[in-house]
Amino acid sequence: MSNITLHTLAARKAAGEKFAVLTAYDATFAHQVSSAGIEMILVGDSLGMVLQGRDSTLPVSLEEMVYHTEAVARGNQGAMIMADLPFMSYATPEQAMQSGAELMRAGAHILKLEGGRWLCEATSMLAERGVPVCAHMGLTPQTINKLGGYRVQGRTRESALEMIEDARRLEEAGASMLLLECVPTVLAQEITANAGIPVIGIGAGPHTDAQVLVMHDILGITPGRTPRFVKNFLAEGGSIQGAFALYAEQVKNGSFPASEHGFE
């Protein structure tokens, strides 16, 4: 696979072609993921839960994110690398500049920040300085204490309209991508149709431009309850490499996610 860039993914959206995103946290798995036809690796702060055994993403530090981004960059075979800015590392635009610079130096190609329109100033400042931003909306795990649990977002008309407006403002501010987590399928479809930038979904139905999942989830090895939007690709793929390739294939041909993986 030739190197994937923002231009590559924007062209996929324009052509109506879907692309796949999957987490990885080290060099070995980054090599396997990027060799399986998956266009983007997410170095997620989900590592706090799947690697460190914590009950949320909040304890993950910027130093830990830098460490894992460096490891992923060493194993990557041409995929685009998106890295999370962790909890309270971008509370102000100035802090976002400093934290973002560390992750970009570590090998990230785009940064993911959780939030709505309050991110517009930081997004503009980063974009103006050549740093691409993916704005993560809907269920934002870093605000889990305020949300009161892992709940579907945007189900009321008021909250749906607010999310639509947030998406519009963030794109206008310079965001290069949006990510929608655990939002109703119809809402995700509307945001995707109106956005001029690629929209990635997780628990957001089949109409987004791309899908993202946590690697441990698609391998069926995450302890505890399996989220509705997850599918065990290892069971059908037969091997880790087969699971990654099958995930990429089913995202691109539109067979994943199916209706049972979304929310009304």
Side-chain angles (χ1 to χ4, degrees):
M1 181 172 66
S2 58
N3 288 353
I4 301 295
T5 66
L6 281 177
H7 179 77
T8 310
L9 301 181
R12 297 274 173 94
K13 178 181 175 76
E17 299 173 357
K18 296 183 182 293
F19 61 92
V21 186
L22 190 64
T23 65
Y25 313 98
D26 63 30
T28 300
F29 276 109
H31 187 283
Q32 295 297 331
V33 169
S34 57
S35 299
I38 292 169
E39 286 85 353
M40 178 180 282
I41 295 172
L42 170 61
V43 187
D45 57 3
S46 50
L47 67 88
M49 301 173 81
V50 298
L51 296 189
Q52 299 175 341
R54 301 181 184 275
D55 61 3
S56 77
T57 64
L58 273 63
V60 177
S61 69
L62 179 61
E63 291 73 22
E64 289 167 338
M65 290 303 305
V66 167
Y67 172 87
H68 287 280
T69 300
E70 288 175 340
V72 164
R74 294 186 196 107
N76 182 37
Q77 302 298 302
M80 194 168 182
I81 298 174
M82 178 159 64
D84 278 341
L85 280 177
F87 178 65
M88 292 300 287
S89 68
Y90 53 101
T92 66
E94 292 74 21
Q95 190 183 25
M97 298 300 106
Q98 296 172 356
S99 301
E102 291 197 43
L103 280 179
M104 295 298 285
R105 292 189 192 105
H109 303 125
I110 182 170
L111 305 177
K112 183 162 72 66
L113 288 66
E114 295 183 12
R117 65 192 68 177
W118 70 270
L119 289 174
C120 285
E121 186 179 357
T123 297
S124 292
M125 289 179 68
L126 286 163
E128 286 167 358
R129 289 153 180 80
V131 178
V133 171
C134 175
H136 179 160
M137 298 186 299
L139 196 167
T140 47
Q142 291 177 15
T143 60
I144 196 64
N145 291 310
K146 184 177 180 181
L147 293 176
Y150 295 95
R151 306 171 186 274
V152 179
Q153 303 296 305
R155 276 185 159 155
T156 67
R157 175 171 173 77
E158 180 182 3
S159 60
L161 290 173
E162 183 177 359
M163 201 179 303
I164 291 168
E165 178 63 11
D166 283 355
R168 185 191 69 78
R169 291 195 190 189
L170 284 160
E171 180 177 354
E172 192 175 75
S176 296
M177 289 186 188
L178 302 173
L179 188 148
L180 303 176
E181 180 170 357
C182 289
V183 304
T185 295
V186 172
L187 175 57
Q189 183 176 17
E190 181 173 354
I191 291 173
T192 303
N194 290 326
I197 54 179
V199 179
I200 302 167
I202 175 169
H207 304 295
T208 54
D209 303 303
Q211 299 292 327
V212 61
L213 285 175
V214 171
M215 177 184 69
H216 296 65
D217 288 344
I218 79 162
L219 297 178
I221 58 173
T222 306
R225 185 180 66 86
T226 301
R228 177 173 178 168
F229 51 79
V230 168
K231 176 178 176 179
N232 182 341
F233 286 88
L234 181 61
E236 188 177 342
S239 67
I240 290 174
Q241 296 90 336
F244 293 164
L246 184 63
Y247 168 65
E249 176 187 340
Q250 292 193 1
V251 167
K252 293 173 190 182
N253 68 25
S255 59
F256 178 84
S259 57
E260 65 264 24
H261 299 117
F263 301 95
E264 295 181 356

